Amino acid sequence: MKKLITLFVVMSVRMFSQNYGITNIPAELLKNADVVYRNYEQKSVVNSVSQVDTHFTKVVTIMNKAGDDYAALKIPYDKTNKVSDIKVRTFDALGRLSKTYSKKDFSDYSATEGFELYTEARILYLKIISTTYPYTIELNYDEESSDTAFLNPFFTFYGYNVAIENSSYSFENKSGIKLRSNIKNTDYGKITLQGDDNNFSLSYNKIPAIVEEKYAPNPITLMPRAEFALDNFTLKGKRGDMSNWQNFGKWYNELLEPASKITPEIQQEVNSLNLKGTTEEKVKTIYQYMQNKTRYVFVALGIGGWQPMLAEDVRKKSYGDCKALTNYMRVLLKAAGIPSYYSVIYMDETPKLFDKDFPRMDGNHVILCVPTENGNIWLENTSQRIAYNHLSYRTTDRNVVMVKENTAEIVDTPKSITENNKEVLRIKANISADNNLDVTSRFSYSGGLYDMSMPILSLTPIEQKDALKHRYDNLQFSNIDIQNLVNDRDKAIINFDFNFKAANYSKSLGSDIYFRAIPFIDSDFYLEDSERKLPIEIPFGFTDDYEIEYTIPDNYKFAENPTPAKIDSEFGSFSIEFIPQDKKLLIKRKFMLKKGVFPADKISDYIKFRKQANKIDHTKILITKI
């Protein structure tokens, strides 16, 4: 018996060595890889409208210290998604078993630990620590879920510097309900599909690591992926139909109605506002009242991930998440006789669109649309500061699922217009004989730059000064004063005066002085002209409009008038002109960068455009002593 056990151990070690030894990884997968996914496998069995069982297997080899984040094992669960039979094993570089773990070794945390949130979601967490590399982690567990609204998508990107040896996803559909799949292959890869509509598998194997490249799109949008949906589903015990958007809208409306009652107290709220004027004026009054009254707190209890808390509870407590605050605003408008539509959206830096031909549960945010004779009014309801009828750059240029009484419609949100995303600077600058710069300036931000500038509103005066010092670290500030900071919530513009003194801005050249034409230089653009693999993404288009009026000492004059310049490019445009005015010089500068995704082979052209503009910004102005 002892010999038999010994033989079994030896055979096991050999088997593990064969599977997980570092020498078994194909050589092409080792290049640039901090982590290699040896196997990532999901096997799902859909048993009924309210039961799907999935077995997960994840085997990762951590090649070096840079890959240690992948040694943090996280298993999400909640009341309707139960996990069991958790097994973890670790192996050394030769594939020999090092250690085993089970569920008792995991810590159990709220999924929102440390935040001001209410949720039932939880995470089992285990951090594997190894002092030698490479090492391999094998994780197996089962999940039993009564939620069938969300079937895990099949992604083919797990992170930068991560290679994929084997990845697969299989479905066995025993439910009798139609299971739909939506496979999106791209130029960067193809998913292999085998089987029929109810029993199929997908695989994506032997994929080298992708190296992060600056200004590249999110690789998830570039790589192939697959999504799945059942025509009939269950979410937190509530059944629904998403065979088409119309049926999905009816189901969603059933979620909203119980939370949308106009109580006498809500009606009195609206009556007390004494609404007057046009529909647009009434909407603005109600919206800004709601903003001033409420604050954002996330709530995801029960069906709370999709169903808002009661509008009356929001009125009483003056808080809620995006669902609750949007629905509360909708109910306030309803009490005023103004219809509006709850709209589910995917909010992120890179737009993600709902597929009109593939209804499924998705989205991570909710906004409100108010139709009027003059067009749609769009309301972001989670911010106490954002302007009326203004969507941020993370919710423009995409679509929403707009929930109506008997249907849901896919509707586009407004476009982000480069010319409207504007930074306007009006600067008066005095150059002194001792090389100091004395500036009074007016900053104005609109469009998407309004959103990006909004964090300054929440900073203390000291923090505001530090933020501007950091942004313009090319200047040696000796004194800073920020005044008249105003958030115009009617026009979506942030204005402030920025006055300062800076030492050593100009340089002496004998009795002459020279200085850079543009004092405010953003130095965050840097890109190497290398052998690029990924496209170049300009995710946000904007326009700079600068006017700088320089005044020089009385005993100096401008030596010459610099030559104006103009650049036109597929990426944008740049122009600058120098207008002499006796003892003053007015500089007008405009820079426009277009939003878009450009092929990797355009990298040299893009760098050339940015460097040309940057070089002109550094044009030197020479003044000579009289």
Side-chain angles (χ1 to χ4, degrees):
M1 186 68 176
K2 186 175 181 181
K3 289 183 179 180
L4 183 60
I5 293 174
T6 302
L7 179 62
F8 175 76
V9 170
V10 170
M11 290 177 62
S12 297
V13 169
R14 287 177 179 171
M15 179 180 67
F16 296 145
S17 178
Q18 181 180 356
N19 289 338
Y20 298 151
I22 185 69
T23 57
N24 293 309
I25 299 175
E28 65 270 21
L29 300 186
L30 295 176
K31 184 179 180 181
N32 299 318
D34 298 327
V35 174
V36 179
Y37 268 79
R38 313 295 296 278
N39 190 30
Y40 189 90
E41 184 176 11
Q42 296 184 47
K43 294 181 178 180
S44 293
V45 179
V46 183
N47 294 299
S48 69
V49 71
S50 58
Q51 185 183 354
V52 57
D53 299 329
T54 303
H55 178 76
F56 294 88
T57 298
K58 182 170 73 171
V59 183
V60 293
T61 295
I62 313 297
M63 302 299 299
N64 51 54
K65 188 173 180 59
D68 275 344
D69 285 349
Y70 290 80
L73 308 182
K74 301 174 184 178
I75 303 176
Y77 76 97
D78 59 25
K79 289 182 178 179
T80 56
N81 295 275
K82 300 176 181 178
V83 295
S84 61
D85 202 20
I86 299 172
K87 296 177 182 176
V88 178
R89 298 188 297 177
T90 61
F91 302 85
D92 66 12
L94 297 177
R96 296 175 300 199
L97 181 65
S98 301
K99 196 171 183 179
T100 61
Y101 304 84
S102 63
K103 184 177 179 179
K104 65 180 177 59
D105 298 303
F106 283 73
S107 299
D108 194 333
Y109 297 109
S110 167
T112 55
E113 193 79 16
F115 295 91
E116 186 183 16
L117 312 176
Y118 298 95
T119 179
E120 295 170 337
R122 303 203 55 90
I123 289 178
L124 295 174
Y125 177 85
L126 174 65
K127 174 69 173 180
I128 303 296
I129 297 175
S130 177
T131 57
T132 58
Y133 301 91
Y135 63 97
T136 298
I137 303 169
E138 177 193 71
L139 168 66
N140 283 277
Y141 69 95
D142 294 324
E143 178 187 80
E144 179 182 338
S145 178
S146 59
D147 284 346
T148 56
F150 295 98
L151 300 178
N152 294 330
F154 181 46
F155 289 120
T156 57
F157 176 77
Y158 302 136
Y160 289 112
N161 300 103
V162 176
I164 302 172
E165 187 172 356
N166 296 293
S167 64
S168 63
Y169 195 172
S170 65
F171 263 114
E172 182 180 359
N173 182 17
K174 299 179 179 179
S175 68
I177 302 167
K178 183 178 180 180
L179 173 62
R180 293 177 285 113
S181 59
N182 187 20
I183 300 173
K184 297 181 179 180
N185 287 314
T186 72
D187 293 338
Y188 290 86
K190 300 288 187 292
I191 294 172
T192 301
L193 171 66
Q194 293 180 322
D196 56 36
D197 289 346
N198 288 312
N199 292 277
F200 60 86
S201 63
L202 303 97
S203 60
Y204 191 69
N205 302 324
K206 294 183 172 54
I207 307 302
I210 296 175
V211 178
E212 185 173 8
E213 295 177 339
K214 200 171 183 181
Y215 302 111
N218 186 332
I220 289 178
T221 67
L222 299 176
M223 307 305 290
R225 61 192 183 278
E227 300 169 332
F228 313 95
L230 288 168
D231 276 0
N232 303 107
F233 64 92
T234 302
L235 178 63
K236 309 300 179 188
K238 187 174 180 62
R239 295 192 180 183
D241 182 333
M242 57 181 168
S243 56
N244 55 58
W245 286 116
Q246 181 177 359
N247 289 345
F248 179 73
K250 290 178 181 178
W251 174 83
Y252 213 131
N253 196 57
E254 291 175 3
L255 288 187
L256 298 180
E257 283 308 307
S260 304
K261 184 179 179 181
I262 302 174
T263 63
E265 292 80 5
I266 288 176
Q267 188 65 61
Q268 179 56 39
E269 257 190 313
V270 174
N271 294 344
S272 67
L273 295 176
N274 298 314
L275 299 173
K276 297 177 182 178
T278 64
T279 298
E280 289 84 353
E281 290 170 334
K282 292 175 182 178
V283 173
K284 181 191 290 186
T285 298
I286 296 173
Y287 177 67
Q288 294 184 344
Y289 163 79
M290 184 278 300
Q291 283 183 298
N292 295 335
K293 174 184 171 67
T294 61
R295 63 190 176 92
Y296 177 84
V297 175
F298 180 70
V299 180
L301 303 175
I303 243 182
W306 290 85
Q307 185 178 50
M309 60 192 282
L310 301 179
E312 174 61 17
D313 286 346
V314 178
R315 184 196 69 80
K316 290 178 182 177
K317 298 175 181 178
S318 295
Y319 69 72
D321 59 12
C322 65
K323 303 180 301 294
L325 297 177
T326 297
N327 189 59
Y328 176 55
M329 181 64 197
R330 185 175 74 98
V331 173
L332 291 174
L333 290 172
K334 187 177 179 182
I338 301 172
S340 61
Y341 300 114
Y342 187 94
S343 302
V344 182
I345 193 169
Y346 196 92
M347 181 175 72
D348 205 349
E349 303 288 336
T350 301
K352 180 178 180 181
L353 301 178
F354 291 96
D355 189 331
K356 295 181 179 181
D357 300 320
F358 191 76
R360 70 184 291 266
M361 298 284 281
D362 206 346
N364 62 359
H365 189 54
V366 180
I367 57 179
L368 194 67
C369 180
V370 187
T372 74
E373 292 181 355
N374 298 317
N376 291 333
I377 297 171
W378 293 93
L379 301 176
E380 168 58 65
N381 303 283
T382 58
S383 170
Q384 295 171 297
R385 294 190 174 96
I386 200 167
Y388 162 76
N389 195 20
H390 176 83
L391 292 183
S392 76
Y393 66 95
R394 297 198 299 160
T395 48
T396 52
D397 297 317
R398 63 203 72 202
N399 57 22
V400 301
V401 176
M402 186 180 289
V403 181
K404 298 188 173 182
E405 288 187 8
N406 295 308
T407 190
E409 294 181 9
I410 308 299
V411 178
D412 291 337
T413 62
K415 297 292 183 184
S416 175
I417 301 173
T418 297
E419 290 76 11
N420 293 343
N421 301 327
K422 187 174 285 189
E423 178 186 45
V424 178
L425 300 188
R426 296 295 180 259
I427 304 163
K428 292 185 181 296
N430 289 302
I431 299 292
S432 68
D434 59 359
N435 297 327
N436 289 326
L437 178 69
D438 193 338
V439 167
T440 61
S441 61
R442 180 72 166 168
F443 281 49
S444 180
Y445 296 99
S446 58
L449 290 175
Y450 168 80
D451 312 314
M452 295 180 182
S453 302
M454 198 165 289
I456 197 172
L457 299 172
S458 61
L459 301 179
T460 66
I462 292 176
E463 290 171 336
Q464 290 170 356
K465 293 178 182 180
D466 288 342
L468 289 175
K469 283 181 180 178
H470 179 73
R471 180 176 180 183
Y472 302 115
D473 56 4
N474 60 292
L475 294 170
Q476 298 178 33
F477 292 104
S478 58
N479 185 44
I480 286 183
D481 186 25
I482 300 171
Q483 296 180 349
N484 303 318
L485 176 60
V486 175
N487 173 21
D488 188 333
R489 287 163 56 196
D490 293 335
K491 298 180 181 178
I493 297 175
I494 289 176
N495 296 310
F496 61 88
D497 296 330
F498 181 36
N499 306 324
F500 66 87
K501 295 182 186 296
N504 299 317
Y505 180 70
S506 56
K507 305 295 180 184
S508 295
L509 189 64
S511 61
D512 297 338
I513 295 174
Y514 67 93
F515 54 91
R516 188 177 59 248
I518 308 298
F520 295 116
I521 298 294
D522 277 331
S523 57
D524 62 345
F525 177 79
Y526 174 76
L527 196 55
E528 290 184 352
D529 189 357
S530 58
E531 189 176 336
R532 192 177 178 94
K533 305 293 184 183
L534 301 177
I536 308 142
E537 181 181 36
I538 303 174
F540 178 75
F542 64 89
T543 301
D544 290 341
D545 181 354
Y546 294 2
E547 288 189 8
I548 308 165
E549 182 185 85
Y550 281 106
T551 300
I552 59 176
D554 289 338
N555 56 337
Y556 280 81
K557 67 177 182 178
F558 291 99
E560 58 184 2
N561 192 37
T563 305
K566 185 175 177 60
I567 307 170
D568 287 311
S569 163
E570 63 182 306
F571 310 103
S573 62
F574 176 89
S575 67
I576 193 167
E577 56 181 323
F578 305 88
I579 304 170
Q581 299 175 339
D582 192 21
K583 285 290 186 180
K584 297 179 180 181
L585 178 68
L586 179 64
I587 300 176
K588 292 185 176 183
R589 172 195 184 267
K590 287 191 176 180
F591 175 75
M592 186 267 287
L593 189 65
K594 296 178 183 178
K595 176 179 179 177
V597 177
F598 303 90
D601 61 9
K602 294 283 186 179
I603 183 67
S604 296
D605 295 337
Y606 182 52
I607 292 174
K608 180 181 178 181
F609 168 63
R610 295 297 299 266
K611 284 187 173 180
Q612 280 180 324
N614 186 264
K615 182 178 180 180
I616 297 169
D617 280 339
H618 283 77
T619 295
K620 299 300 187 293
I621 310 296
L622 180 67
I623 60 176
T624 60
K625 199 166 187 177
I626 300 173

